Amino acid sequence: MITLASDFGSPYPAAMRGVLLRRTDARLVDVAHDFPRQDVRAAAFWLREVLPWFPPAVHLAVVDPGVGTDRAALVVRAGEHALVGPDNGLLLPAARRIAAESPASPSPSADETGDDADGGDDPDDAVEVFAYAYDNPDSATFHGRDVFAPAAAEVHEAGVGALETLSAATPAAEFVDLAFPEPTVREDDATGRALAVDGEVLVVDDFGNAITNVPGEVVRGRDAVVVNGERVPVGESFASVDAGERLVTVGSHGSVECDVNRGRGDEAFGLAPGDAVDIELGR
């Protein structure tokens, strides 16, 4: 299986599929081609949340503002998966999440903090990064078709466990990393009890839900919190409040969201990716 993800919209992904179909009989599965344009961090977030749910596969992902420059191409091995794409940090969060999964676990189960699901060994130890050499692609602006699709086909045909046998793949001494910002917890000096969390909006989904980096355990069991100075109810589901009302909830990814039941949380809270979110928990 080869999955495809990009910010290309249409019709560019069809060209990548065409290249793959000429080189491999692998099953092709489209993840998404409407990631925010040239937003590497947003795409990395969604790849981290989606790809671990797949069975072993080669994942072709291209969000590439540096296309045509001297940035490298990478193949990243994480367990029985391989990820192929540009060297701009896009692949690493997903690779680490995949590597953190226990082989005995049938599905991903990241905890509320977004930390490694098994809580054990460092997933970096199970992530292997290879530089993929390429020469004179047909286009300087479409490496998804001319570099990454051929690379994904080659990796699939060779097998994820045989990357060392590929002449174009060599262990990468250096590569661009990407890590999501961590929230800051403010505690009571006397008791050590958490009073507030300073977080950040990581992404806004198509429903307008503003997804933060604040772990869900911070708000679970509370009736309400104060978000950027305004009191907001905490609900287990969108229907915990009336239609059009704001709420804070914990999304399927385990992080705090600022939402509106049947509306757009980003607009109601005045939030966009990268904005600060101050959540006061009360005493």
Side-chain angles (χ1 to χ4, degrees):
M1 178 187 297
I2 299 176
T3 74
L4 297 88
S6 74
D7 61 348
F8 291 164
S10 177
Y12 297 109
M16 292 197 299
R17 292 175 64 89
V19 170
L20 292 168
L21 289 169
R22 292 173 64 180
R23 294 169 180 256
T24 175
D25 60 359
R27 179 185 178 190
L28 305 183
V29 178
D30 290 293
V31 173
H33 294 292
D34 58 354
F35 288 144
R37 298 291 171 85
Q38 301 185 348
D39 190 336
V40 173
R41 190 173 83 157
F45 174 87
W46 291 118
L47 293 174
R48 186 189 71 173
E49 298 305 315
V50 172
L51 296 187
W53 293 92
F54 278 88
V58 175
H59 305 288
L60 168 58
V62 189
V63 176
D64 192 14
V67 63
T69 69
D70 61 356
R71 66 95 187 88
L74 296 183
V75 178
V76 181
R77 181 162 58 200
E80 297 180 271
H81 297 248
L83 298 86
V84 178
D87 180 17
N88 58 13
L90 175 68
L91 309 177
L92 273 300
R96 291 191 176 105
R97 175 67 60 81
I98 291 169
E101 294 302 318
S102 167
S105 176
S107 61
S109 55
D111 64 17
E112 300 94 317
T113 67
D115 291 333
D116 306 333
D118 60 7
D121 296 337
D122 186 346
D124 283 345
D125 294 339
V127 171
E128 300 170 86
V129 182
F130 296 81
Y132 187 88
Y134 61 92
D135 293 313
N136 303 317
D138 289 343
S139 170
T141 61
F142 197 180
H143 285 187
R145 179 193 66 192
D146 300 333
V147 175
F148 301 121
E154 183 178 17
V155 169
H156 181 272
E157 294 305 290
V160 171
L163 296 183
E164 291 85 354
T165 68
L166 302 181
S167 61
T170 57
E174 297 181 352
F175 54 88
V176 177
D177 205 349
L178 187 156
F180 298 107
E182 296 290 336
T184 300
V185 178
R186 288 180 275 138
E187 299 178 341
D188 184 287
D189 291 338
T191 66
R193 180 183 178 186
L195 299 178
V197 180
D198 296 321
E200 180 179 318
V201 177
L202 295 180
V203 295
V204 174
D205 68 17
D206 285 349
F207 290 99
N209 302 319
I211 302 169
T212 77
N213 64 343
V214 177
E217 62 183 3
V218 167
V219 301
R220 282 195 175 97
R222 299 180 182 273
D223 294 327
V225 293
V226 176
V227 179
N228 290 351
E230 297 186 58
R231 184 177 176 84
V232 182
V234 176
E236 291 188 357
S237 68
F238 301 113
S240 298
V241 299
D242 293 336
E245 294 295 318
R246 300 190 304 171
L247 76 154
V248 165
T249 191
V250 180
S252 61
H253 36 69
S255 298
V256 170
E257 294 183 0
C258 297
D259 302 333
V260 169
N261 182 19
R262 303 187 190 182
R264 294 194 62 90
D266 58 339
E267 295 176 357
F269 284 86
L271 293 173
D275 284 351
V277 177
D278 175 71
I279 299 178
E280 298 178 34
L281 308 175
R283 297 180 180 273

